[in-house]
Amino acid sequence: MSEPEPDQGRHDADPASTSCNHASRFHAFVLAFALSLVPLAGTAATPGLPAPLSESDFIAFDPEQAALGRFLFYDKILSGNQNISCGTCHHHDHASSDGLSLGIGEGGNGVGPLRTAGEGRDRIRRRIARNSSGLWNLGHKGVDVLFHDGRLSPSPLYGNGFNSPAEEWLPGGLDSLLAAQALLPLASAAEMAGDPGENEIAGAVVDRIDKGWPVLAKRVRTIPEYGEMFVAAFDHVERPEDVSIVEIANAIAAFIGTEFRNHDSPFDRHLAGDATALDPAERRGMELFFGEAGCSGCHSGPLLSDQSFHALGLPAFGPGRKRMWDPMPRDVGRMGESDDLQDAYRFRTPFLRNVALTAPYGHNGAMPTLEDMVRHHLDPAAGRARWTPAMASLPPAPWLADIDFVIQSDVLEMARQERALDIALPPLSDTDVQELVAFLNALTGETADRRPLGRPEHVPSGLPVD
């Protein structure tokens, strides 16, 4: 704040006038000082806003390991049949997702919404049970649960630092939740491993979830370029023979945790004090989101998620991530992990930064647009009633057609899912909905489409890159 200019030519002024003048200047000074203590417009005017994100909020991954992880992320050598990579379903061109309701995993061809279900003996045998989530900001230190049903979380339970489907068979030495997550798709038949009889990984995984990982590690470390990169990137790796699946997972995690870190959206600028960052519709949408619309009841905290589990009553379809003894292709959500009936049909609250880039929405990608998803939150019964199978983004697979929507013919199961609802939001006008959508779009980072490393043109295995 600049100092008041000195009075010039006022020495002969009336004492009373001079006293008033001094008082006016004093009052002006007090007012200016008081205003200087008020945060910039928007940072405190809306209750419940999170603090701005900073680099210190994220895990500091090693850049050399991240560069190595970039190749591994896009290298199909980590799949059983060497025909799919992590990047196939979490592609740069599709904002770290795939644009499908339910993914096409091992056996498919292409990427994104144009991916096909394959043909002949190599065609897919099942769809991926759930929507492929975006990878944005998963390196944040506050992330403590992953997957739609929360089946991966930090825990001392098994002595390896994590509670995961691999239980005690998950190896020790994984540096982060992201590293633990990177291992699980490698052991999934539908995602990357393939089916027994097709390759050595699939056969090993049937025996035990961890049996395929050493085979994959050997595949990678025996490629000279990879061996050299691991020796250079990891201090404890003195020769390629030292490389295990742990180093592979830690490298992939370093890539994901740095490559998809992004918090330069208009909303982020607003949190940092830029009163002009949001236009009027976006600002009103933010006020609704954190106010009367009730969105922040679940979408709270630095990543706009409470990382808890809620039932939204979304339309059901697909194979479902059903339990081994479940006789129907349904998805019971969190209950599949906890075995607690109270968790039935509940799914983890998604993180929202860059949400506009990762349609479709919901654990099964039922809602094609943000507006559809917002309206479903407001009235789940109406959302289910107006939903049609055509709204699902499912690449054709005629041999799976009888399975895709069969669950909707189970009247009792549909009634159970309709009753399992954790949301009861106030009614909003069409204008309110549009303003909420405008705010959700304002969560898109300005540099979201310009990632620091990007997709490699080639990988050390020589296999094609999607």
Side-chain angles (χ1 to χ4, degrees), residues 304-332:
L304 301 179
S305 169
D306 60 3
Q307 300 189 67
S308 189
F309 304 88
H310 307 280
L312 303 184
L314 286 166
F317 59 92
R321 187 176 174 84
K322 63 189 186 73
R323 296 169 293 173
M324 291 179 62
W325 56 85
D326 211 328
M328 60 188 78
R330 65 177 180 175
D331 196 328
V332 296

mmCIF file of all heavy atoms in Angstrom, residues 304-332:
data_model
loop_
_atom_site.group_PDB
_atom_site.id
_atom_site.type_symbol
_atom_site.label_atom_id
_atom_site.label_comp_id
_atom_site.label_asym_id
_atom_site.label_seq_id
_atom_site.Cartn_x
_atom_site.Cartn_y
_atom_site.Cartn_z
ATOM 1 N N LEU A 304 -11.108 -32.523 -4.200
ATOM 2 C CA LEU A 304 -12.560 -32.500 -4.392
ATOM 3 C C LEU A 304 -13.142 -33.907 -4.311
ATOM 4 O O LEU A 304 -13.969 -34.318 -5.134
ATOM 5 C CB LEU A 304 -12.922 -31.814 -5.708
ATOM 6 C CG LEU A 304 -12.435 -30.371 -5.839
ATOM 7 C CD1 LEU A 304 -12.828 -29.778 -7.180
ATOM 8 C CD2 LEU A 304 -12.962 -29.508 -4.708
ATOM 9 N N SER A 305 -12.709 -34.650 -3.320
ATOM 10 C CA SER A 305 -13.259 -35.967 -3.017
ATOM 11 C C SER A 305 -13.042 -36.252 -1.536
ATOM 12 O O SER A 305 -11.960 -35.988 -1.005
ATOM 13 C CB SER A 305 -12.576 -37.062 -3.843
ATOM 14 O OG SER A 305 -12.926 -38.349 -3.365
ATOM 15 N N ASP A 306 -14.063 -36.813 -0.891
ATOM 16 C CA ASP A 306 -13.888 -37.233 0.492
ATOM 17 C C ASP A 306 -13.242 -38.613 0.584
ATOM 18 O O ASP A 306 -13.014 -39.130 1.672
ATOM 19 C CB ASP A 306 -15.219 -37.224 1.238
ATOM 20 C CG ASP A 306 -16.258 -38.161 0.623
ATOM 21 O OD1 ASP A 306 -15.931 -38.872 -0.354
ATOM 22 O OD2 ASP A 306 -17.410 -38.186 1.111
ATOM 23 N N GLN A 307 -12.965 -39.217 -0.579
ATOM 24 C CA GLN A 307 -12.352 -40.539 -0.675
ATOM 25 C C GLN A 307 -13.136 -41.583 0.124
ATOM 26 O O GLN A 307 -12.575 -42.551 0.630
ATOM 27 C CB GLN A 307 -10.884 -40.498 -0.250
ATOM 28 C CG GLN A 307 -10.044 -39.557 -1.108
ATOM 29 C CD GLN A 307 -8.572 -39.671 -0.840
ATOM 30 O OE1 GLN A 307 -7.958 -40.686 -1.131
ATOM 31 N NE2 GLN A 307 -7.974 -38.609 -0.289
ATOM 32 N N SER A 308 -14.425 -41.359 0.214
ATOM 33 C CA SER A 308 -15.318 -42.303 0.864
ATOM 34 C C SER A 308 -16.230 -42.917 -0.194
ATOM 35 O O SER A 308 -16.025 -42.722 -1.392
ATOM 36 C CB SER A 308 -16.115 -41.599 1.962
ATOM 37 O OG SER A 308 -16.837 -42.531 2.736
ATOM 38 N N PHE A 309 -17.273 -43.624 0.225
ATOM 39 C CA PHE A 309 -18.062 -44.435 -0.688
ATOM 40 C C PHE A 309 -19.539 -44.104 -0.546
ATOM 41 O O PHE A 309 -20.067 -44.019 0.568
ATOM 42 C CB PHE A 309 -17.809 -45.926 -0.407
ATOM 43 C CG PHE A 309 -16.349 -46.285 -0.501
ATOM 44 C CD1 PHE A 309 -15.525 -46.161 0.611
ATOM 45 C CD2 PHE A 309 -15.789 -46.699 -1.690
ATOM 46 C CE1 PHE A 309 -14.174 -46.454 0.531
ATOM 47 C CE2 PHE A 309 -14.448 -46.987 -1.790
ATOM 48 C CZ PHE A 309 -13.636 -46.869 -0.677
ATOM 49 N N HIS A 310 -20.188 -43.942 -1.695
ATOM 50 C CA HIS A 310 -21.576 -43.512 -1.702
ATOM 51 C C HIS A 310 -22.337 -44.209 -2.826
ATOM 52 O O HIS A 310 -21.785 -44.488 -3.886
ATOM 53 C CB HIS A 310 -21.661 -41.993 -1.900
ATOM 54 C CG HIS A 310 -20.832 -41.220 -0.924
ATOM 55 N ND1 HIS A 310 -21.243 -40.959 0.363
ATOM 56 C CD2 HIS A 310 -19.585 -40.678 -1.028
ATOM 57 C CE1 HIS A 310 -20.306 -40.272 0.998
ATOM 58 N NE2 HIS A 310 -19.280 -40.092 0.170
ATOM 59 N N ALA A 311 -23.610 -44.481 -2.579
ATOM 60 C CA ALA A 311 -24.479 -45.111 -3.574
ATOM 61 C C ALA A 311 -25.246 -44.034 -4.324
ATOM 62 O O ALA A 311 -25.948 -43.223 -3.712
ATOM 63 C CB ALA A 311 -25.441 -46.073 -2.893
ATOM 64 N N LEU A 312 -25.119 -44.045 -5.645
ATOM 65 C CA LEU A 312 -25.761 -43.029 -6.480
ATOM 66 C C LEU A 312 -26.925 -43.579 -7.302
ATOM 67 O O LEU A 312 -27.607 -42.821 -7.973
ATOM 68 C CB LEU A 312 -24.742 -42.416 -7.448
ATOM 69 C CG LEU A 312 -23.501 -41.768 -6.844
ATOM 70 C CD1 LEU A 312 -22.667 -41.130 -7.952
ATOM 71 C CD2 LEU A 312 -23.875 -40.735 -5.794
ATOM 72 N N GLY A 313 -27.134 -44.881 -7.275
ATOM 73 C CA GLY A 313 -28.245 -45.445 -8.032
ATOM 74 C C GLY A 313 -28.084 -45.357 -9.527
ATOM 75 O O GLY A 313 -29.071 -45.184 -10.254
ATOM 76 N N LEU A 314 -26.868 -45.484 -10.026
ATOM 77 C CA LEU A 314 -26.641 -45.420 -11.469
ATOM 78 C C LEU A 314 -27.232 -46.640 -12.170
ATOM 79 O O LEU A 314 -27.315 -47.723 -11.575
ATOM 80 C CB LEU A 314 -25.144 -45.336 -11.765
ATOM 81 C CG LEU A 314 -24.493 -43.989 -11.460
ATOM 82 C CD1 LEU A 314 -22.973 -44.119 -11.457
ATOM 83 C CD2 LEU A 314 -24.921 -42.937 -12.481
ATOM 84 N N PRO A 315 -27.633 -46.506 -13.430
ATOM 85 C CA PRO A 315 -28.119 -47.667 -14.178
ATOM 86 C C PRO A 315 -27.058 -48.760 -14.224
ATOM 87 O O PRO A 315 -25.869 -48.475 -14.342
ATOM 88 C CB PRO A 315 -28.385 -47.090 -15.576
ATOM 89 C CG PRO A 315 -28.569 -45.626 -15.367
ATOM 90 C CD PRO A 315 -27.675 -45.266 -14.228
ATOM 91 N N ALA A 316 -27.505 -50.001 -14.122
ATOM 92 C CA ALA A 316 -26.574 -51.134 -14.081
ATOM 93 C C ALA A 316 -26.494 -51.817 -15.448
ATOM 94 O O ALA A 316 -27.504 -51.995 -16.123
ATOM 95 C CB ALA A 316 -27.033 -52.134 -13.029
ATOM 96 N N PHE A 317 -25.283 -52.197 -15.821
ATOM 97 C CA PHE A 317 -25.069 -52.974 -17.041
ATOM 98 C C PHE A 317 -23.655 -53.522 -17.019
ATOM 99 O O PHE A 317 -22.854 -53.187 -16.144
ATOM 100 C CB PHE A 317 -25.308 -52.134 -18.299
ATOM 101 C CG PHE A 317 -24.413 -50.921 -18.407
ATOM 102 C CD1 PHE A 317 -23.204 -50.972 -19.080
ATOM 103 C CD2 PHE A 317 -24.787 -49.710 -17.833
ATOM 104 C CE1 PHE A 317 -22.382 -49.853 -19.181
ATOM 105 C CE2 PHE A 317 -23.981 -48.590 -17.924
ATOM 106 C CZ PHE A 317 -22.770 -48.663 -18.593
ATOM 107 N N GLY A 318 -23.346 -54.351 -17.982
ATOM 108 C CA GLY A 318 -22.018 -54.936 -18.073
ATOM 109 C C GLY A 318 -21.856 -56.163 -17.201
ATOM 110 O O GLY A 318 -22.795 -56.610 -16.531
ATOM 111 N N PRO A 319 -20.654 -56.734 -17.198
ATOM 112 C CA PRO A 319 -20.426 -57.979 -16.448
ATOM 113 C C PRO A 319 -20.396 -57.793 -14.946
ATOM 114 O O PRO A 319 -20.539 -58.759 -14.198
ATOM 115 C CB PRO A 319 -19.056 -58.442 -16.965
ATOM 116 C CG PRO A 319 -18.355 -57.167 -17.344
ATOM 117 C CD PRO A 319 -19.434 -56.273 -17.905
ATOM 118 N N GLY A 320 -20.221 -56.546 -14.491
ATOM 119 C CA GLY A 320 -20.111 -56.303 -13.066
ATOM 120 C C GLY A 320 -18.826 -56.885 -12.506
ATOM 121 O O GLY A 320 -18.298 -57.876 -13.025
ATOM 122 N N ARG A 321 -18.316 -56.252 -11.467
ATOM 123 C CA ARG A 321 -17.173 -56.842 -10.765
ATOM 124 C C ARG A 321 -17.744 -57.697 -9.647
ATOM 125 O O ARG A 321 -17.759 -57.326 -8.471
ATOM 126 C CB ARG A 321 -16.240 -55.762 -10.226
ATOM 127 C CG ARG A 321 -14.955 -56.348 -9.649
ATOM 128 C CD ARG A 321 -13.973 -55.299 -9.196
ATOM 129 N NE ARG A 321 -12.843 -55.924 -8.533
ATOM 130 C CZ ARG A 321 -11.783 -56.435 -9.151
ATOM 131 N NH1 ARG A 321 -11.711 -56.369 -10.467
ATOM 132 N NH2 ARG A 321 -10.814 -57.010 -8.474
ATOM 133 N N LYS A 322 -18.227 -58.860 -10.036
ATOM 134 C CA LYS A 322 -18.951 -59.678 -9.070
ATOM 135 C C LYS A 322 -18.010 -60.550 -8.261
ATOM 136 O O LYS A 322 -16.921 -60.889 -8.690
ATOM 137 C CB LYS A 322 -20.000 -60.542 -9.781
ATOM 138 C CG LYS A 322 -19.476 -61.562 -10.773
ATOM 139 C CD LYS A 322 -20.645 -62.168 -11.539
ATOM 140 C CE LYS A 322 -20.183 -63.299 -12.455
ATOM 141 N NZ LYS A 322 -19.825 -64.515 -11.736
ATOM 142 N N ARG A 323 -18.485 -60.906 -7.085
ATOM 143 C CA ARG A 323 -17.719 -61.788 -6.219
ATOM 144 C C ARG A 323 -17.759 -63.214 -6.761
ATOM 145 O O ARG A 323 -18.655 -63.588 -7.526
ATOM 146 C CB ARG A 323 -18.282 -61.727 -4.807
ATOM 147 C CG ARG A 323 -18.129 -60.347 -4.174
ATOM 148 C CD ARG A 323 -18.924 -60.228 -2.898
ATOM 149 N NE ARG A 323 -20.359 -60.283 -3.167
ATOM 150 C CZ ARG A 323 -21.289 -60.337 -2.228
ATOM 151 N NH1 ARG A 323 -20.929 -60.340 -0.954
ATOM 152 N NH2 ARG A 323 -22.563 -60.384 -2.545
ATOM 153 N N MET A 324 -16.802 -64.042 -6.362
ATOM 154 C CA MET A 324 -16.672 -65.387 -6.918
ATOM 155 C C MET A 324 -17.950 -66.203 -6.779
ATOM 156 O O MET A 324 -18.302 -66.973 -7.653
ATOM 157 C CB MET A 324 -15.508 -66.125 -6.244
ATOM 158 C CG MET A 324 -14.144 -65.577 -6.591
ATOM 159 S SD MET A 324 -12.813 -66.463 -5.745
ATOM 160 C CE MET A 324 -13.037 -68.106 -6.438
ATOM 161 N N TRP A 325 -18.664 -66.010 -5.676
ATOM 162 C CA TRP A 325 -19.856 -66.825 -5.426
ATOM 163 C C TRP A 325 -21.148 -66.123 -5.854
ATOM 164 O O TRP A 325 -22.240 -66.622 -5.618
ATOM 165 C CB TRP A 325 -19.944 -67.184 -3.943
ATOM 166 C CG TRP A 325 -19.933 -65.974 -3.050
ATOM 167 C CD1 TRP A 325 -20.983 -65.204 -2.674
ATOM 168 C CD2 TRP A 325 -18.785 -65.376 -2.453
ATOM 169 N NE1 TRP A 325 -20.577 -64.172 -1.876
ATOM 170 C CE2 TRP A 325 -19.227 -64.257 -1.718
ATOM 171 C CE3 TRP A 325 -17.417 -65.676 -2.458
ATOM 172 C CZ2 TRP A 325 -18.342 -63.436 -0.999
ATOM 173 C CZ3 TRP A 325 -16.558 -64.866 -1.743
ATOM 174 C CH2 TRP A 325 -17.016 -63.760 -1.025
ATOM 175 N N ASP A 326 -21.032 -64.992 -6.487
ATOM 176 C CA ASP A 326 -22.216 -64.241 -6.887
ATOM 177 C C ASP A 326 -22.785 -64.856 -8.172
ATOM 178 O O ASP A 326 -22.069 -64.985 -9.164
ATOM 179 C CB ASP A 326 -21.850 -62.771 -7.127
ATOM 180 C CG ASP A 326 -23.004 -61.846 -6.811
ATOM 181 O OD1 ASP A 326 -24.160 -62.268 -7.010
ATOM 182 O OD2 ASP A 326 -22.758 -60.713 -6.359
ATOM 183 N N PRO A 327 -24.057 -65.216 -8.187
ATOM 184 C CA PRO A 327 -24.617 -65.900 -9.360
ATOM 185 C C PRO A 327 -25.024 -64.974 -10.501
ATOM 186 O O PRO A 327 -25.493 -65.444 -11.525
ATOM 187 C CB PRO A 327 -25.861 -66.588 -8.773
ATOM 188 C CG PRO A 327 -26.304 -65.669 -7.679
ATOM 189 C CD PRO A 327 -25.040 -65.104 -7.086
ATOM 190 N N MET A 328 -24.876 -63.670 -10.326
ATOM 191 C CA MET A 328 -25.369 -62.752 -11.347
ATOM 192 C C MET A 328 -24.301 -61.698 -11.682
ATOM 193 O O MET A 328 -23.428 -61.404 -10.869
ATOM 194 C CB MET A 328 -26.647 -62.055 -10.870
ATOM 195 C CG MET A 328 -26.476 -61.242 -9.604
ATOM 196 S SD MET A 328 -28.053 -60.617 -8.946
ATOM 197 C CE MET A 328 -28.687 -62.106 -8.169
ATOM 198 N N PRO A 329 -24.364 -61.131 -12.887
ATOM 199 C CA PRO A 329 -23.369 -60.124 -13.304
ATOM 200 C C PRO A 329 -23.669 -58.749 -12.726
ATOM 201 O O PRO A 329 -23.913 -57.791 -13.441
ATOM 202 C CB PRO A 329 -23.495 -60.131 -14.824
ATOM 203 C CG PRO A 329 -24.923 -60.453 -15.078
ATOM 204 C CD PRO A 329 -25.314 -61.425 -13.985
ATOM 205 N N ARG A 330 -23.657 -58.650 -11.426
ATOM 206 C CA ARG A 330 -23.949 -57.382 -10.777
ATOM 207 C C ARG A 330 -22.680 -56.834 -10.136
ATOM 208 O O ARG A 330 -21.699 -57.551 -9.954
ATOM 209 C CB ARG A 330 -25.027 -57.550 -9.706
ATOM 210 C CG ARG A 330 -24.597 -58.434 -8.534
ATOM 211 C CD ARG A 330 -25.669 -58.508 -7.483
ATOM 212 N NE ARG A 330 -25.273 -59.353 -6.362
ATOM 213 C CZ ARG A 330 -25.980 -59.515 -5.259
ATOM 214 N NH1 ARG A 330 -27.146 -58.877 -5.137
ATOM 215 N NH2 ARG A 330 -25.563 -60.289 -4.277
ATOM 216 N N ASP A 331 -22.717 -55.562 -9.788
ATOM 217 C CA ASP A 331 -21.582 -54.920 -9.133
ATOM 218 C C ASP A 331 -22.057 -54.374 -7.800
ATOM 219 O O ASP A 331 -22.856 -53.431 -7.754
ATOM 220 C CB ASP A 331 -21.033 -53.796 -10.010
ATOM 221 C CG ASP A 331 -19.637 -53.352 -9.590
ATOM 222 O OD1 ASP A 331 -19.340 -53.426 -8.385
ATOM 223 O OD2 ASP A 331 -18.857 -52.941 -10.464
ATOM 224 N N VAL A 332 -21.569 -54.955 -6.721
ATOM 225 C CA VAL A 332 -22.007 -54.531 -5.390
ATOM 226 C C VAL A 332 -21.102 -53.454 -4.806
ATOM 227 O O VAL A 332 -21.248 -53.062 -3.654
ATOM 228 C CB VAL A 332 -22.109 -55.717 -4.422
ATOM 229 C CG1 VAL A 332 -23.179 -56.692 -4.890
ATOM 230 C CG2 VAL A 332 -20.758 -56.414 -4.265
#
